[in-house]
Each structure stands twice: as structure tokens, then as C-alpha cells.
């Protein structure tokens, strides 16, 4: 099982130097994957959670590809309806080539209604637009020499039944975000039922979990995977491995934009996980 890190590409403490240090820290600690988020128009609903500056993911990952050597680079998640599918196909293919084949394209339908309005995209059609977008991206990659990209893994983000079903239908990895383990076990049962109904294989599991390291155990039914002592976090990773996860992405951002001004706290938590989980020895 591979371990990745969701790097905040937004917020008051984020800038080119900090992003470079994030990338070098993630790679230096032996993690397998570095991922960033996606917003284009930082409207009020976006800014409340993810304030400017917000670094566009393709641009950011292309730059980070040049300051890293090994770590894979991805989006968690690219909002599919925000870009023309041929633009997404082109940028993804170019980034795959420029990075030496290191791209993982996580996609989602989006949630920020005001941002959709600012971009002139119908919010209510975002699910259908995502399906059409992914079909066009794959068609471009497969059938047009100018978009040839090699094998770019696609992850389908989202915790809804629609997202789960989309992963089954498209044969892409399912990328649920920040959840409790009991919820995931129940969702995996639903996913298997959907896959059986469609006579398709169940998708690969590639979840993104919290990373909130505490000195005392976190208890109670609402505890997210990745919250608690290092012993709890390592056990969560082991449980996710046993559930069939191919990759787990750790998300050290816990909701306060001021955290981006203190990245050392997250780096220390990541170093603790790396020391206890030993990512390079758990690859399968």
C-alpha cells in the first residue's frame, strides 16, 4: 500500500517557497504521492474554507515536478466541469510527459455553487457534465496522437452514492474523502452491490483520510480515520490496507486557514507517521 499527502495549495501561509518545501519534505520522508486541490474562482463560499492565494493545480504540479524526482503528483480533486475536456486532456497529457509519467488525476463534481455561477457552468448539471467530461478526456487520450499520455490513473472523488457508482461505471479508482472507518466498511458493501449489479469489477480503493496527531487517544463514534495517537493512526492505515486500499492519502489540513502559516506542525506529524509506518517498506 502506498501513502500520499494532500498538500495545501491555498491559504495565507502558502507561496512558492512553502510549496517547494512541502514537496521536498513529502519526497524526502519517503511518501509516494503529493496531491493538491482545485478551485479557479475563489468566490465567497470557497474563500470561507480555502482563502486566497489559491494556486491552480496543473500549474503548481508542473512546477513541483521540476523540483522533485520520484514522488508522484496528483489532484484531490480536479473539478471536472470547470475546464473544457480537451483542455484537461491536453494539460494532463503534457504534465504526464513533463513529469516522467508521475501524474494521478483525481476528479470530482464540485460543491461551490457560487464558483459554478462565476464560471458560467450550470451547478445542477455538474454530475452529467463530469461524466461527459471524463468520456471526452479518455477518448482524446486513446484516439488522438496529439493527446497521447500513457496510462494516467483516474480517481473518482466523492462520498456520495453517485460518486461511488461513477467509479464502478468508469472502472476508475474510488477516492472517498475524510470518513469514519465504520462508514467506509458500509460504503464498500454498497459499492460491491453496485458492481455486482452492473456485472463489473469493484473499483480500486484510494481513500483520503485526515491526519490529526494527538497525544491522547481520540474516542467516540465520530472519530475520523487518521485522527488520534500515532498508534491509532498506524492501526487505521493497517485497517485500510486490509480493506484493499491501493493508496491512502493523508490530509494534514484540519480546517483552519491559519494552519498554512505553520506548516512545520504538519511536517512533524508526517515525519512521525513515516517513522512508524515506514512507507518504503510497505509498498506492495
Amino acid at each position: 500500500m502506498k501513502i500520499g499527502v494532500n498538500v495545501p495549495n491555498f491559504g495565507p501561509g502558502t507561496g512558492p517557497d512553502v510549496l517547494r518545501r512541502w514537496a521536498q519534505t513529502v519526497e524526502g520522508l519517503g511518501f509516494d504521492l503529493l496531491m493538491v486541490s482545485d478551485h479557479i474562482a475563489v468566490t465567497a463560499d470557497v474563500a470561507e474554507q480555502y482563502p486566497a492565494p489559491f494556486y491552480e493545480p496543473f500549474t503548481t504540479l508542473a512546477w513541483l515536478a521540476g523540483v522533485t524526482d520520484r514522488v508522484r503528483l496528483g489532484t484531490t480533486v480536479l473539478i471536472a466541469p470547470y475546464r473544457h475536456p480537451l483542455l484537461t486532456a491536453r494539460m494532463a497529457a503534457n504534465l504526464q510527459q513533463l513529469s516522467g509519467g508521475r501524474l494521478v488525476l483525481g476528479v470530482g463534481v464540485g460543491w461551490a455553487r457560487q464558483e459554478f455561477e462565476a464560471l458560467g457552468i450550470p451547478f445542477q448539471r455538474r454530475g452529467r457534465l463530469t461524466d461527459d467530461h471524463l468520456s471526452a478526456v479518455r477518448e482524446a487520450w486513446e484516439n488522438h496522437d496529439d493527446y497521447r499520455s500513457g496510462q494516467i490513473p483516474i480517481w473518482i472523488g466523492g462520498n456520495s452514492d453517485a460518486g461511488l457508482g461513477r467509479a464502478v461505471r468508469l472502472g476508475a479508482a474510488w477516492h472517498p474523502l475524510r470518513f469514519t472507518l465504520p462508514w467506509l466498511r458500509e460504503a464498500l458493501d454498497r459499492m460491491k452491490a453496485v458492481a455486482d449489479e452492473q456485472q463489473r469489477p469493484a473499483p480500486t480503493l484510494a481513500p483520503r483520510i485526515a491526519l490529526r496527531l494527538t497525544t491522547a487517544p481520540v474516542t467516540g463514534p465520530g472519530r475520523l480515520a487518521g485522527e488520534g495517537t500515532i498508534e491509532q493512526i498506524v492501526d487505521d492505515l493497517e485497517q485500510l490496507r486490509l480493506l484493499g486500499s491501493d493508496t491512502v492519502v493523508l490530509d494534514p489540513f484540519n480546517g483552519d486557514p491559519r494552519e498554512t502559516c505553520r506548516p512545520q506542525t504538519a511536517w512533524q506529524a508526517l515525519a512521525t507517521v513515516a517513522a512508524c509506518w515506514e512507507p518504503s517498506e510497505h509498498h506492495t
Side-chain angles (χ1 to χ4, degrees):
M1 187 176 77
K2 296 176 173 59
I3 307 291
V5 179
N6 183 32
V7 169
N9 54 320
F10 55 84
T14 300
D17 181 60
V18 171
L19 285 166
R20 182 192 297 110
R21 291 167 66 195
W22 263 106
Q24 293 169 344
T25 297
V26 169
E27 184 168 73
L29 288 171
F31 290 101
D32 302 283
L33 173 65
L34 179 160
M35 306 193 90
V36 296
S37 304
D38 182 30
H39 284 287
I40 294 176
V42 185
T43 48
D45 50 353
V46 174
E48 184 176 353
Q49 298 183 52
Y50 311 110
F54 203 112
Y55 287 79
E56 194 279 329
F58 280 117
T59 310
T60 303
L61 292 176
W63 181 65
L64 293 179
V67 299
T68 56
D69 298 309
R70 175 194 57 80
V71 71
R72 303 188 78 191
L73 307 159
T75 52
T76 177
V77 289
L78 192 82
I79 308 305
Y82 285 176
R83 297 165 183 82
H84 191 285
L86 292 182
L87 177 62
T88 297
R90 168 81 67 187
M91 290 194 293
N94 288 168
L95 181 52
Q96 177 78 337
Q97 294 159 356
L98 291 167
S99 69
R102 290 189 277 155
L103 181 62
V104 175
L105 190 67
V107 298
V109 301
W111 57 269
R113 186 181 294 269
Q114 293 174 21
E115 188 173 26
F116 273 83
E117 293 172 356
L119 295 169
I121 300 165
F123 182 80
Q124 298 297 340
R125 295 188 58 226
R126 64 195 189 282
R128 177 59 183 272
L129 288 170
T130 296
D131 290 341
D132 293 345
H133 182 109
L134 290 172
S135 176
V137 166
R138 281 182 160 175
E139 196 274 336
W141 287 346
E142 292 169 2
N143 298 316
H144 299 277
D145 289 341
D146 203 28
Y147 290 86
R148 297 290 183 189
S149 62
Q151 293 294 320
I152 299 177
I154 293 178
W155 294 2
I156 303 299
N159 294 14
S160 68
D161 285 350
L164 185 155
R166 184 171 291 111
V168 172
R169 189 167 62 254
L170 296 176
W174 183 42
H175 183 49
L177 313 174
R178 299 177 72 97
F179 48 78
T180 67
L181 281 173
W183 177 88
L184 180 66
R185 290 188 173 94
E186 192 273 333
L188 289 174
D189 288 340
R190 293 202 311 276
M191 185 173 71
K192 184 179 185 304
V194 171
D196 289 347
E197 182 179 332
Q198 296 186 18
Q199 296 184 323
R200 296 175 181 268
T204 301
L205 179 62
R208 188 178 97 200
I209 67 172
L211 175 60
R212 189 172 72 86
L213 185 61
T214 63
T215 55
V218 176
T219 59
R223 184 184 77 85
L224 296 176
E227 285 188 320
T229 63
I230 187 59
E231 291 79 13
Q232 287 181 297
I233 293 169
V234 168
D235 184 65
D236 288 341
L237 290 172
E238 178 62 14
Q239 294 303 313
L240 290 166
R241 187 187 69 81
L242 293 172
L243 287 170
S245 297
D246 174 77
T247 304
V248 175
V249 179
L250 303 173
D251 185 356
F253 179 67
N254 289 294
D256 184 349
R258 292 173 295 182
E259 294 175 37
T260 62
C261 299
R262 306 183 300 273
Q264 295 82 1
T265 302
W267 296 343
Q268 183 57 55
L270 289 168
T272 302
V273 173
C276 294
W277 178 255
E278 298 175 345
S280 63
E281 295 185 15
H282 284 78
H283 292 180
T284 57

